[in-house]
Amino acid sequence: MSTSVTHTERELDLSNAGRGVWLVKVPKYIANKWEKAPGNIEVGKLKITKNPGQKAEVSLKLSEAVLALKESGEGEIPKQHRLDVTTVTRQMLGVFSHVAPSASLDAIVPETEKLFMEGRIVQKLECRPYADNCYMKLKLESIKRASVPQRQVQQLDRVVQNFKPVSDHKHNIEYAEKKKAEGKKMRDDKDAVLDMLFAAFENHQYYNIRDLVKITKQPIVYLKEILNEVCNYNLKNPHRNMWELKPEYRHYKVEEKPAESTSKKGNESEDD
């Protein structure tokens, strides 16, 4: 039975589909500053310089308000950046926005979700800092932080239970005990194992290998050798992965016929 997921139909506003937009990649330290910045301050200024016969130069200057958003111990970040421009020609990339409906109870007509196409990406810009002293210092601090190992040796002046080594782990001990117990299993005589198997199959028609190991207490490899001689292994449902006696070894009890049918047969014989 297949289930289909239904989606609510929404209209897409394409009024700005013809507008060209820029896709700008900025360093992580700038993105962190912009995320912390409130929405009512200027975060930077973009400057475009056009020289005749040359490619336009684009630069970014961060505002003082953004540079002032520093936590304790945080260093300075570069203020001036250049933007390397790449024109998008072989891709069709778009920018979309989604406006969720407000949860206002006073609205007479409930708002619906709105989808807008804000424009088509025509240029990709990658923001790069100038290699000045401020950037070099920032890069040096970043390399130092990355080189600090996550795990360090700690000297203890007293015994701490969390750091106390163990000679062996619990799961290793349990596994060793299990293997030791299985190693002690002795192979019984084949006829004795067959008697146990036939007696078990008189009670149930199907068994899995785990139950047969418990019943016979034989090593699983030895038990499978005997089972392959007298049993069939089911590969299909409803008794998949279970063993069943081969037809020539089955001696199931036949249910007796009801007494009513016997007496009826006797009456018919008398009438004949």
Side-chain angles (χ1 to χ4, degrees), residues 14 163 167 174:
L14 298 175
F163 295 91
S167 58
E174 293 176 352

PDB file of all heavy atoms in Angstrom, residues 14 163 167 174:
ATOM      1  N   LEU A  14       6.280  36.394  -8.775  1.00  0.00           N
ATOM      2  CA  LEU A  14       7.389  36.505  -9.714  1.00  0.00           C
ATOM      3  C   LEU A  14       7.586  37.934 -10.206  1.00  0.00           C
ATOM      4  O   LEU A  14       8.192  38.163 -11.261  1.00  0.00           O
ATOM      5  CB  LEU A  14       7.154  35.576 -10.916  1.00  0.00           C
ATOM      6  CG  LEU A  14       7.061  34.079 -10.612  1.00  0.00           C
ATOM      7  CD1 LEU A  14       6.703  33.313 -11.872  1.00  0.00           C
ATOM      8  CD2 LEU A  14       8.363  33.569 -10.024  1.00  0.00           C
ATOM      9  N   PHE A 163      39.148   8.358  36.100  1.00  0.00           N
ATOM     10  CA  PHE A 163      40.356   8.140  35.320  1.00  0.00           C
ATOM     11  C   PHE A 163      41.056   6.830  35.685  1.00  0.00           C
ATOM     12  O   PHE A 163      42.108   6.525  35.158  1.00  0.00           O
ATOM     13  CB  PHE A 163      41.348   9.299  35.526  1.00  0.00           C
ATOM     14  CG  PHE A 163      40.839  10.608  35.000  1.00  0.00           C
ATOM     15  CD1 PHE A 163      40.119  11.456  35.831  1.00  0.00           C
ATOM     16  CD2 PHE A 163      41.060  10.997  33.696  1.00  0.00           C
ATOM     17  CE1 PHE A 163      39.650  12.672  35.360  1.00  0.00           C
ATOM     18  CE2 PHE A 163      40.605  12.205  33.220  1.00  0.00           C
ATOM     19  CZ  PHE A 163      39.882  13.046  34.056  1.00  0.00           C
ATOM     20  N   SER A 167      41.454  -3.333  34.211  1.00  0.00           N
ATOM     21  CA  SER A 167      42.255  -4.388  33.597  1.00  0.00           C
ATOM     22  C   SER A 167      41.565  -4.978  32.377  1.00  0.00           C
ATOM     23  O   SER A 167      42.206  -5.383  31.417  1.00  0.00           O
ATOM     24  CB  SER A 167      42.533  -5.495  34.617  1.00  0.00           C
ATOM     25  OG  SER A 167      41.312  -6.013  35.109  1.00  0.00           O
ATOM     26  N   GLU A 174      32.479 -10.872  29.469  1.00  0.00           N
ATOM     27  CA  GLU A 174      31.297 -11.675  29.126  1.00  0.00           C
ATOM     28  C   GLU A 174      31.539 -12.498  27.871  1.00  0.00           C
ATOM     29  O   GLU A 174      31.124 -13.664  27.795  1.00  0.00           O
ATOM     30  CB  GLU A 174      30.088 -10.755  28.933  1.00  0.00           C
ATOM     31  CG  GLU A 174      29.631 -10.065  30.215  1.00  0.00           C
ATOM     32  CD  GLU A 174      28.498  -9.102  29.962  1.00  0.00           C
ATOM     33  OE1 GLU A 174      28.178  -8.860  28.771  1.00  0.00           O
ATOM     34  OE2 GLU A 174      27.918  -8.586  30.944  1.00  0.00           O
TER      35      GLU A 174
END
